[in-house]
Amino acid sequence: MESRWRKAKMSLGLNLCVYVPRTLDDGDSPSTGSSTAALVSPVASSSSAATSANTTPTAEQRVKGAGALMPTTPTPTSAGLRLSKSGSKSFKKTCAICLTTMKPGQGHALFTAECSHTFHFHCIAANVKHGSNNCPVCRTKWKELPFRGPLPGEFPQGSARINPVNGHQNGGQMTILRPLPRARSSGRLHHMTSLLPDTDRSIFNDDEPLDSLSEANEGSQQGCLRTVEIKTYPEFTEVPESTSERNFTVLVHLKAPLAQTLQTSSKLEDGNSLGTTRAPVDLITVLDVSGSMAGTKLALLKRAMGFVIQNLGSSDRLSVIAFSSSARRLFPLRRMTETGRQQSLQAVYSLTSNGGTNIAEGLRKGSKVIEDRQAKNPVCSIILLSDGQDTYTVSPTAGVHKSAPEYCSLLPYTSNGCQQVPVHVFGFGADHDSVSLHSISQTSGGTFSFIETEAAIQDAFAQCIGGLLSVVAQDLHVKVESLHPDVHFGSIRSGSYSSRLADDKRNGSIDVGDMYAEEERDFLVSVNVPPGYGETALLKVGCVYKDPLMKETINMADVQVKISRPAFVSVQSVSIEVDRQKNRLHAAEVMAEARLSAERGDLTHAVSLLEDCRRMIMGSTSGQSGDRLCQALDAELKEMQERMANRQRYEASGRAYVLSGLSSHSWQRATARGDSTDSESLIQAYQTSSMVDMLLRSQTMSRSSTPRQMRHVKSFPARPQPR
């Protein structure tokens, strides 16, 4: 009789449970020990301690049977799928997907298919989600799948999908139906649903509305007191009257203003009518929480996100996407008011690490948050961090390995569909896919940063948001036009910025996009200089951009470029400004060429290319004058040589270091490289005052962090899991 009863209990799966703690909206204190447990059956294991007793274990007993795997600090949405630690000691099967041992009690649920083959539940659920309905071992076509999310319309009335923030089933491989309390108003319902990581929503249009007061103030602004500055520098100020030049270089220099000071019709809190303000931001962070992020990495990532959250203003909005084997949205775009900060911190601190690295799915969900939002702040960006290789395909076709260009289809666009939202990417550690991550940033118009050490995560984030929180110009376009009938453009060297020349070679343009406060941009325009007398007007430069606060288009007055044409020139002195930018562009070209040589295995040739470039730069006019940018380029090229000393070091850090350097110089924007976020480093030639201020704030906070504060960050322990 006992044997039959044990078989019956095994068939019902009574030895497993899904732990669903009460939320803050349930009315109970989050610290209470009472919880509900729903029975599920994703596995039929060989034996269980729960079946050795004649009485059914209580929900509390089943939860305790999972050991210390549940979060010790309750959160509004925290759950986990866990096996009892008891089980067959002789269970030594290997999962055919991740090739690790399947031993009950390690914190992984198991799934036994109808063909009798067993897998980790999170492995096979992710496999099925990406299009495979056959057994990976015997290729049997399954009739019952380990996961199939309910189709639209299948939910009972009053129910919603709830996926645990820190669930080890990786972002919704398990779907739980749970009735939502009836809200008294639509505002209450929005507040409640915003606490839930509803990654299975088909449309992410539940973003929090913008501050009505700030929207009203936009119409009362009387004007911006500073504008983008345009300067031009010809390669030579004098050219003999009888001489013609075929490749004469003109430098176009732009500098963004300081943080905008606005005259408003209403007084500020301090009683003054003048105040310094900025454009509010919609920020989506896409964070890798795969198994390799366990331990100190995840703790420091949480602290870095805490820094970001604390430094966003009440008009800024944040949404967080966490990805491992799949991706989940922790919460929709939410304003960082005091309440929004607390809820966001609570959700971020509840994260745990587990599973593989599905960058594509994380990027897809982050893009969808942007594209589906109802309200839009003027500035929008994605921050993506990953420490591993993408173990999943971009294409839904199973078995087809992704290639870097396929990420392009996942990148977000603005509402008009013509401007991409920049994705600022952070490659963390020695094992990340720097090539794919660099391609994501390069295609979207963002930057690629290489975080070599764990402690540099917060500083790298701080430098990035220091720029994002200081945008003063958007959609900036530069236009150049010939002023002489015989002057034609040869080329426009603009790095990664898109540039065009008209068919007649007498007009050109450069798409610059957004500029942070005090940022500078330099472009080299090549023209021919015909013979002339007295003075020759070569070209004129103008720009147009949108003020993100006033939402008005600003046209800057054209600046003309003229050179003197004396009969005789004794000494032609090259412009230091032009020579400096030639060195920068040449260095970027050599970096790219050296990387190609290194990828072919010819590290000796790569190092030689870098050495020749160093000698050329330091021997140039600007290098000899002690120019800071030339010194920075020399220091960076030397560092690259050292990281190409052997194949092992190049694979570990050299490739990522070079790609981050290329990203920085091609966009003329600061990136983190190794541990070079220090504002005193020569390598950081593009840092703005806003970036430096945010970095100093981060470093001050890190130095003042007490051990007790660090324990609070690490109070949500993550058990290391196999990739």
Side-chain angles (χ1 to χ4, degrees):
M1 181 66 183
E2 180 181 357
S3 177
R4 292 180 180 178
W5 175 238
R6 292 180 62 180
K7 290 180 180 179
K9 288 198 295 181
M10 287 180 62
S11 65
L12 292 174
L14 295 182
N15 58 315
L16 300 178
C17 71
V18 171
Y19 173 65
V20 185
R22 294 180 181 272
T23 67
L24 296 179
D25 294 313
D26 291 334
D28 294 339
S29 171
S31 60
T32 183
S34 62
S35 304
T36 55
L39 294 177
V40 296
S41 180
V43 61
S45 58
S46 59
S47 63
S48 172
T51 62
S52 62
N54 292 328
T55 58
T56 303
T58 65
E60 182 177 358
Q61 290 172 337
R62 286 194 296 271
V63 172
K64 289 182 178 179
L69 297 175
M70 295 299 173
T72 58
T73 305
T75 61
T77 53
S78 62
L81 182 59
R82 283 292 175 260
L83 280 173
S84 172
K85 280 194 172 184
S86 59
S88 174
K89 295 183 179 180
S90 61
F91 192 101
K92 295 183 179 179
K93 290 185 179 181
T94 300
C95 176
I97 298 175
C98 68
L99 302 180
T100 57
T101 303
M102 296 182 297
K103 183 179 179 181
Q106 288 185 333
H108 289 292
L110 308 180
F111 173 79
T112 300
E114 56 208 65
C115 59
S116 77
H117 291 116
T118 303
F119 312 90
H120 285 130
F121 182 76
H122 67 270
C123 291
I124 195 61
N127 203 46
V128 168
K129 184 176 180 180
H130 286 81
S132 176
N133 297 338
N134 298 329
C135 175
V137 178
C138 64
R139 310 309 299 171
T140 299
K141 186 174 181 62
W142 290 336
K143 297 179 181 178
E144 297 180 0
L145 301 178
F147 170 74
R148 189 193 69 174
L151 298 174
E154 290 182 354
F155 287 103
Q157 187 174 4
S159 298
R161 305 171 206 183
I162 302 177
N163 295 313
V165 171
N166 63 336
H168 292 263
Q169 70 276 30
N170 300 317
Q173 295 170 7
M174 187 75 185
T175 300
I176 306 169
L177 290 180
R178 180 178 179 183
L180 285 174
R182 292 188 178 182
R184 296 182 180 179
S185 65
S186 58
R188 172 64 176 165
L189 180 59
H190 179 275
H191 169 71
M192 291 173 51
T193 56
S194 68
L195 295 175
L196 306 177
D198 45 354
T199 58
D200 289 335
R201 291 177 59 95
S202 59
I203 299 177
F204 290 162
N205 60 354
D206 54 344
D207 51 300
E208 185 174 358
L210 300 179
D211 184 7
S212 58
L213 179 61
S214 64
E215 289 179 330
N217 286 339
E218 287 179 0
S220 63
Q221 295 165 359
Q222 299 300 316
C224 178
L225 302 182
R226 297 194 61 186
T227 55
V228 173
E229 180 183 13
I230 304 176
K231 289 185 178 180
T232 58
Y233 300 89
E235 187 174 7
F236 302 103
T237 57
E238 296 180 328
V239 176
E241 60 183 22
S242 59
T243 302
S244 62
E245 298 280 352
R246 296 189 60 184
N247 293 302
F248 188 85
T249 303
V250 176
L251 169 64
V252 176
H253 175 81
L254 307 177
K255 185 172 183 178
L258 295 168
Q260 294 178 337
T261 302
L262 302 175
Q263 178 75 43
T264 61
S265 59
S266 59
K267 290 191 176 182
L268 302 176
E269 294 178 356
D270 58 2
N272 297 324
S273 59
L274 281 177
T276 300
T277 187
R278 60 172 177 82
V281 177
D282 281 345
L283 179 64
I284 293 84
T285 57
V286 182
L287 309 176
D288 187 344
V289 292
S290 58
S292 59
M293 287 291 293
T296 306
K297 284 184 179 181
L298 187 60
L300 290 172
L301 175 59
K302 291 176 183 179
R303 189 179 74 170
M305 280 301 301
F307 177 84
V308 172
I309 291 170
Q310 294 293 351
N311 282 278
L312 294 176
S314 59
S315 295
D316 301 315
R317 298 189 302 175
L318 174 72
S319 180
V320 177
I321 309 293
F323 70 91
S324 53
S325 297
S326 60
R328 59 192 182 275
R329 185 186 64 162
L330 301 191
F331 50 86
L333 274 173
R334 174 182 299 159
R335 288 178 53 221
M336 288 297 99
T337 58
E338 189 61 33
T339 301
R341 288 195 190 101
Q342 292 177 0
Q343 294 174 349
S344 302
L345 287 169
Q346 202 169 24
V348 168
Y349 285 161
S350 71
L351 287 170
T352 58
S353 57
N354 186 27
T357 306
N358 195 339
I359 298 174
E361 188 62 23
L363 188 59
R364 181 183 289 111
K365 275 192 167 58
S367 299
K368 189 165 183 59
V369 169
I370 291 176
E371 293 168 352
D372 291 351
R373 58 189 171 145
Q374 295 296 297
K376 297 176 177 64
N377 267 326
V379 181
C380 182
S381 185
I382 290 178
I383 288 179
L384 168 65
L385 178 138
S386 177
D387 77 327
Q389 304 283 327
D390 196 339
T391 54
Y392 293 83
T393 61
V394 176
S395 168
T397 305
V400 179
H401 186 68
K402 63 115 177 79
S403 60
E406 290 179 319
Y407 286 109
C408 301
S409 62
L410 307 177
L411 297 175
Y413 284 82
T414 54
S415 57
N416 56 19
C418 62
Q419 182 191 356
Q420 285 192 314
V421 174
V423 181
H424 298 286
V425 183
F426 297 83
F428 183 25
D431 297 326
H432 71 274
D433 187 351
S434 57
V435 175
S436 293
L437 295 181
H438 177 262
S439 80
I440 293 173
S441 66
Q442 194 71 9
T443 304
S444 67
T447 55
F448 169 67
S449 292
F450 168 42
I451 305 176
E452 189 169 18
T453 59
E454 296 173 350
I457 297 179
Q458 181 171 302
D459 286 350
F461 277 16
Q463 179 174 266
C464 182
I465 66 169
L468 292 175
L469 299 181
S470 67
V471 173
V472 293
Q474 290 186 301
D475 301 336
L476 192 149
H477 299 274
V478 177
K479 50 186 179 181
V480 292
E481 182 180 347
S482 171
L483 291 176
H484 192 284
D486 294 328
V487 172
H488 299 83
F489 297 110
S491 64
I492 298 178
R493 301 179 68 185
S494 56
S496 292
Y497 294 100
S498 174
S499 62
R500 292 171 297 279
L501 283 176
D503 293 338
D504 60 3
K505 305 295 184 182
R506 292 181 50 80
N507 294 278
S509 63
I510 308 169
D511 299 329
V512 181
D514 294 359
M515 289 188 72
Y516 304 154
E518 298 182 89
E519 264 196 325
E520 300 179 51
R521 295 288 181 269
D522 294 284
F523 308 107
L524 296 181
V525 180
S526 174
V527 299
N528 69 293
V529 178
Y533 301 93
E535 186 179 67
T536 301
L538 298 177
L539 54 94
K540 63 180 180 180
V541 181
C543 76
V544 57
Y545 64 93
K546 184 175 70 176
D547 185 295
L549 275 172
M550 299 177 62
K551 297 183 178 179
E552 291 183 359
T553 300
I554 298 177
N555 284 278
M556 297 299 299
D558 294 337
V559 175
Q560 294 189 359
V561 180
K562 300 178 180 180
I563 57 173
S564 299
R565 308 304 299 272
F568 175 77
V569 177
S570 57
V571 178
Q572 276 190 322
S573 298
V574 66
S575 167
I576 294 292
E577 289 80 5
V578 173
D579 189 64
R580 173 196 300 132
Q581 297 305 319
K582 282 187 173 182
N583 286 338
R584 174 183 63 85
L585 290 169
H586 178 66
E589 292 168 357
V590 171
M591 290 176 193
E593 188 178 352
R595 176 181 165 260
L596 291 177
S597 294
E599 296 296 338
R600 292 193 297 264
D602 194 350
L603 290 171
T604 302
H605 183 246
V607 171
S608 177
L609 288 172
L610 297 173
E611 180 64 28
D612 292 342
C613 185
R614 289 181 61 196
R615 283 197 297 266
M616 189 278 293
I617 290 175
M618 298 312 294
S620 65
T621 301
S622 55
Q624 291 290 324
S625 68
D627 180 72
R628 181 175 174 83
L629 177 58
C630 292
Q631 292 178 350
L633 291 172
D634 180 67
E636 186 173 6
L637 292 168
K638 182 180 179 181
E639 181 72 17
M640 291 179 182
Q641 285 180 291
E642 295 175 357
R643 292 175 185 263
M644 290 183 178
N646 55 66
R647 191 70 193 175
Q648 181 179 3
R649 188 165 187 196
Y650 175 73
E651 294 285 350
S653 66
R655 178 187 291 114
Y657 191 93
V658 172
L659 288 172
S660 183
L662 286 171
S663 176
S664 180
H665 295 305
S666 64
W667 294 113
Q668 301 179 61
R669 181 163 282 172
T671 63
R673 290 196 285 296
D675 55 357
S676 66
T677 52
D678 187 355
S679 60
E680 297 299 322
S681 171
L682 284 174
I683 295 176
Q684 290 305 321
Y686 305 109
Q687 282 182 338
T688 65
S689 296
S690 299
M691 292 178 178
V692 173
D693 290 344
M694 195 65 72
L695 264 173
L696 292 176
R697 191 179 303 179
S698 170
Q699 292 163 359
T700 301
M701 174 182 169
S702 298
R703 285 193 296 268
S704 62
S705 295
T706 64
R708 183 177 181 181
Q709 288 172 317
M710 285 303 298
R711 284 198 300 271
H712 173 69
V713 173
K714 297 181 181 181
S715 62
F716 298 85
R719 180 182 293 267
Q721 301 291 345
R723 294 293 300 270

